Amino acid sequence: MYRSHYSKEISKTEYNSTVTVSGWVEDIRNLGSIAFLILRDKKGTLQLTILKKKTPELFERLISLPRESVISVQGLCKENEKVRNGYEILPDSVDILSIAETPLPLGVVDKVEADFDTRLDNRIIDLRKPEVQAIFKIRSAVLAAAHEYLRSQHFLEVHTPKIIASSSEGGTDMFKLRYFEKEAFLAQSPQLYKQSLMATGLDRVYEIAWYFRAEEHNTRRHLNESTAVDIEMAFIQDEEDVMQILEHLVHAMWKRASECREELDILKKTVTIPTLPFIKVPYDDVVDKIQQQHSPIQWGVDLSTEDERLLGDIMKKDGIDFYFITKYPLESKPFYTMPDKEKYSRGFDLECKGVEVSSGSQRIHDVALLIERLKACGLDPKDFDAYLKAFRYGMPPHGGFGFGIERFLMELLDLNNIRECILFPRDRSRLTP
Ligand code: AMO
C-alpha cells in the first residue's frame, strides 16, 4: 500500500519506524558516499538520505533517476534536526513507478521563471509547483464557501443547458456550433434559464458553471471559457435585495480565503476581510469622478477598462477595495434589465480594485415590456419564444447576478493575469492543452 499524499504529515510517533512514502523526485544531490533525494507530493517535500555503503544497489538506482520520476520508497524514518522538516528517511527498498523523460520541458524548482506561454504549454508540470497548486487549493476552498453560504440562504443548486438556441446576453460574442440540422450556440451565461426558473416556484437558484464568450480581444482579464457563480431570486423588492446576497457571498468567500494560511504563506499574500455593507456609488457620480481625472467618458456608455482602473485608484485612496456601481443607464445594460425612471436601470456592477467582478440587476418580469426591450436592443422576439413563454403564465418580480470566479481570484490574490486562475485557459490563441 502506498502512502502517497501525506509525507509532510509524518508525525513524531512514526520516528524510528518503517514508513512508505511516494511522490516525484524533485532533486538529487550525490556527494559520492552519501546522496540526498528530495521527494515531493502535494503536501510538500521530504528528504531521503541514501548511504552507498549500506545499500549500494539502491544508491545506484536512485542517483541515476531523472528528475520528476515517480517512486515509492520504504525505509526507516529518523529524527534529524538538521533536515528542514525535522526527519529524514533511510530507504530500504524502492519501487520505480514511472521514469520521467529528459530534458524536462519546464523545471519545477528552477530559480529562473519560465515565460508564461511555456508554463501554460506545460501546464501539468507547472501545476506541480506549490505556488501554482496553492491558487487551485484556494479556489476550491472559496467555492466550498460559496456553496455553503448560498445553501444557508435557501438557494437550490441547478444546472442549465450549455448548448442553446439563442443568445443569452444579446450581442455577437457567441460560439456557433452545428447541432444536427440546426445552428446552435454555446451559452454565454445561464441567464435565460435561471430567469425562466423563477416562474416555477423554485424561487432561489444558483449555478456554478461555464460561460463561453467569443470575444476577440486577448486581455489579461478576459477568457473565452470562464466560470461563474450565478444566482436568481424571486419576490424581491428591488435590486438592493440582490446586492445584499452578493456582498455576503463575497464576504464569505473572502473570509474562507483568509483561512487558507498555508497556501497564502506559499503565495506570500495576506488577505484582509472587507467590511460590510459595500459602498454604493451611482453611475452619475462615477462619471463625475472619472471626468475630474480628465477622461473623455461619455454619459450612457459602459465603463472602459481604463475608466474602471481610474475609479479603482480613486476609491483606493479612501481605502476602499469593493464598491457597487448602481443605477446604470438603461442603454448600457442587457435587454432583460428592469428600467428605472426614464433613462436609468436597476442594473449594478460590483467592482474590486478597479475590476468588474460581478454584474446583476432586477429583471423585467412583464412580458410586454420585455418584448419592447428586446426590439429596442435590435433583437428579434421570435428568437426568444421559449424564454418569453416563461413570462406568460405567472412570473414574479426577480433579480440576480453573475459573479466571475477567475476575476474574483485574480483580485483576491493580486495576480496580474486571469489565466493563472483557471487550470487550462482558453483564449483567442490557446486551445490546448
Ligand atoms: P456579465 O456579462 O457582466 O453578466 O458577466 C458576469 C461576470 O462574469 C465574469 N466574466 C468574465 N470573466 C472572464 N472572462 C470573460 N470573458 C468574462 N465575461 C464575464 C465577470 C463578470 O462581472 N447574465 C449577466 C449576469 C446577471 O445579470 O445575472 C452576465 O453574464 O466577472
Side-chain angles (χ1 to χ4, degrees), residues 169 189 191 194 211 213 215 221-223 226 230 336 356-361 363 400-404 407 418:
E169 296 296 323
S189 84
Q191 186 65 35
K194 63 176 185 171
Y211 284 9
R213 304 214 169 167
E215 288 155 346
R221 59 189 204 170
H222 286 91
L223 292 163
S226 63
D230 268 84
Y336 47 77
E356 179 206 305
V357 290
S358 176
S359 61
S361 60
R363 326 296 192 186
F401 60 75
F403 175 61
R407 287 263 180 99
I418 196 167

Side-chain angles (χ1 to χ4, degrees), residues 134-152 157 159 206-210 226-231 248-260 401-409 412-413 421-423:
I135 297 171
F136 293 96
K137 289 179 186 170
I138 294 173
R139 181 181 165 119
S140 173
V142 297
L143 285 177
H147 281 285
E148 283 164 30
Y149 171 69
L150 291 170
R151 283 164 190 255
S152 79
E157 184 176 14
H159 297 98
Y206 78 99
E207 176 166 6
I208 300 186
W210 299 102
S226 63
T227 58
V229 181
D230 268 84
I231 74 133
H248 280 94
L249 172 70
V250 170
H251 190 268
M253 293 170 78
W254 205 270
K255 182 164 178 292
R256 185 64 54 87
S258 75
E259 291 160 7
C260 297
F401 60 75
F403 175 61
I405 295 165
E406 291 82 20
R407 287 263 180 99
F408 169 76
L409 277 170
L412 172 81
L413 301 172
C421 306
I422 192 155
L423 289 173

Side-chain angles (χ1 to χ4, degrees), residues 97-148:
L97 304 176
S98 166
I99 295 188
E101 289 183 19
T102 54
L104 290 171
L106 179 73
V108 177
V109 283
D110 289 355
K111 294 268 181 300
V112 184
E113 175 82 343
D115 69 72
F116 198 28
D117 270 327
T118 308
R119 285 183 47 209
L120 291 179
D121 286 343
N122 299 285
R123 192 61 156 163
I124 40 107
I125 298 183
D126 188 49
L127 279 160
R128 294 180 188 181
K129 299 175 188 163
E131 67 276 20
V132 179
Q133 285 193 1
I135 297 171
F136 293 96
K137 289 179 186 170
I138 294 173
R139 181 181 165 119
S140 173
V142 297
L143 285 177
H147 281 285
E148 283 164 30

Side-chain angles (χ1 to χ4, degrees), residues 77-251:
C77 177
K78 245 187 70 188
E79 185 164 14
N80 183 345
E81 278 175 7
K82 286 187 207 136
V83 179
R84 196 166 44 85
N85 37 9
Y87 64 86
E88 63 190 335
I89 289 171
L90 309 177
D92 295 321
S93 66
V94 61
D95 268 347
I96 294 172
L97 304 176
S98 166
I99 295 188
E101 289 183 19
T102 54
L104 290 171
L106 179 73
V108 177
V109 283
D110 289 355
K111 294 268 181 300
V112 184
E113 175 82 343
D115 69 72
F116 198 28
D117 270 327
T118 308
R119 285 183 47 209
L120 291 179
D121 286 343
N122 299 285
R123 192 61 156 163
I124 40 107
I125 298 183
D126 188 49
L127 279 160
R128 294 180 188 181
K129 299 175 188 163
E131 67 276 20
V132 179
Q133 285 193 1
I135 297 171
F136 293 96
K137 289 179 186 170
I138 294 173
R139 181 181 165 119
S140 173
V142 297
L143 285 177
H147 281 285
E148 283 164 30
Y149 171 69
L150 291 170
R151 283 164 190 255
S152 79
Q153 298 302 306
H154 312 291
F155 282 84
L156 182 81
E157 184 176 14
V158 296
H159 297 98
T160 63
K162 299 298 158 224
I163 302 176
I164 60 173
S166 57
S167 158
S168 22
E169 296 296 323
T172 53
D173 299 331
M174 292 173 287
F175 285 112
K176 267 191 203 156
L177 58 104
R178 209 174 39 244
Y179 190 73
F180 305 107
E181 295 77 31
K182 293 189 183 129
E183 186 177 70
F185 305 97
L186 289 179
Q188 295 153 302
S189 84
Q191 186 65 35
L192 307 188
Y193 288 94
K194 63 176 185 171
Q195 274 194 266
S196 300
L197 287 173
M198 294 304 99
T200 65
L202 300 173
D203 59 358
R204 285 184 163 207
V205 299
Y206 78 99
E207 176 166 6
I208 300 186
W210 299 102
Y211 284 9
F212 301 96
R213 304 214 169 167
E215 288 155 346
E216 298 262 348
H217 44 267
N218 227 352
T219 78
R220 56 175 277 273
R221 59 189 204 170
H222 286 91
L223 292 163
N224 294 104
E225 187 183 61
S226 63
T227 58
V229 181
D230 268 84
I231 74 133
E232 202 65 26
M233 56 197 281
F235 300 104
I236 58 169
Q237 286 299 316
D238 54 32
E239 73 276 28
E240 295 279 333
D241 292 346
V242 182
M243 285 191 269
Q244 204 180 43
I245 295 287
L246 177 54
E247 63 186 5
H248 280 94
L249 172 70
V250 170
H251 190 268

Side-chain angles (χ1 to χ4, degrees), residues 334-368:
F335 66 86
Y336 47 77
T337 313
M338 180 71 101
D340 189 31
K341 301 195 184 93
E342 247 169 60
K343 48 187 189 165
Y344 293 93
S345 77
R346 298 200 177 173
F348 61 83
D349 283 352
L350 177 65
E351 300 271 325
C352 176
K353 304 178 205 167
V355 172
E356 179 206 305
V357 290
S358 176
S359 61
S361 60
Q362 178 173 354
R363 326 296 192 186
I364 296 169
H365 60 279
D366 175 78
V367 72

